[in-house]
Amino acid sequence: MSVVIIGGNECMVRRYTDLCKEYRCKAKCYPKMTNGIRNMGSPDLLILLTNTMSHKMVKCALNDIGNGTKVARCHGSSMAALKNVLDEHIGAN
């Protein structure tokens, strides 16, 4: 399963991807608004960590996703918050 995480803290990117690997998911993280956010493809799950991202970033992300993509919004950007989202949408590992 492919996961794209948008928002969050830059220093936590490695920990986000490691947690997704524990759930057997490939993860891409975009903590900042960059040109790469437009090339995120069509993931199975899009996770928006809304506390650390702008409204413009949310709009860009939602405009560029495919039809079969599930969207999960989470206000927090901690490891526990991400783990809760992954448990809910992927299941316990």
Side-chain angles (χ1 to χ4, degrees), residues 33-91:
M33 181 87 171
T34 61
N35 290 337
I37 201 168
R38 297 204 184 271
N39 299 327
M40 68 179 160
S42 182
D44 297 318
L45 177 63
L46 174 66
I47 301 173
L48 302 173
L49 302 176
T50 58
N51 192 29
T52 55
M53 60 191 302
S54 66
H55 292 282
K56 182 179 178 182
M57 201 170 172
V58 173
K59 286 182 184 179
C60 287
L62 293 177
N63 286 338
D64 293 338
I65 60 171
N67 290 338
T69 303
K70 294 180 190 175
V71 178
R73 295 174 189 235
C74 181
H75 187 69
S77 58
S78 65
M79 291 297 289
L82 180 60
K83 186 172 179 3
N84 288 339
V85 171
L86 292 172
D87 282 341
E88 181 181 335
H89 290 279
I90 296 172

Side-chain angles (χ1 to χ4, degrees), residues 5-42:
I5 301 169
I6 299 180
N9 298 317
E10 282 184 80
C11 60
M12 297 281 286
V13 168
R14 177 64 182 217
R15 294 182 71 195
Y16 294 153
T17 55
D18 288 345
L19 181 62
C20 289
K21 283 181 187 177
E22 290 178 18
Y23 285 83
R24 294 182 180 94
C25 297
K26 290 184 179 180
K28 290 182 185 177
C29 295
Y30 298 102
K32 286 185 171 180
M33 181 87 171
T34 61
N35 290 337
I37 201 168
R38 297 204 184 271
N39 299 327
M40 68 179 160
S42 182

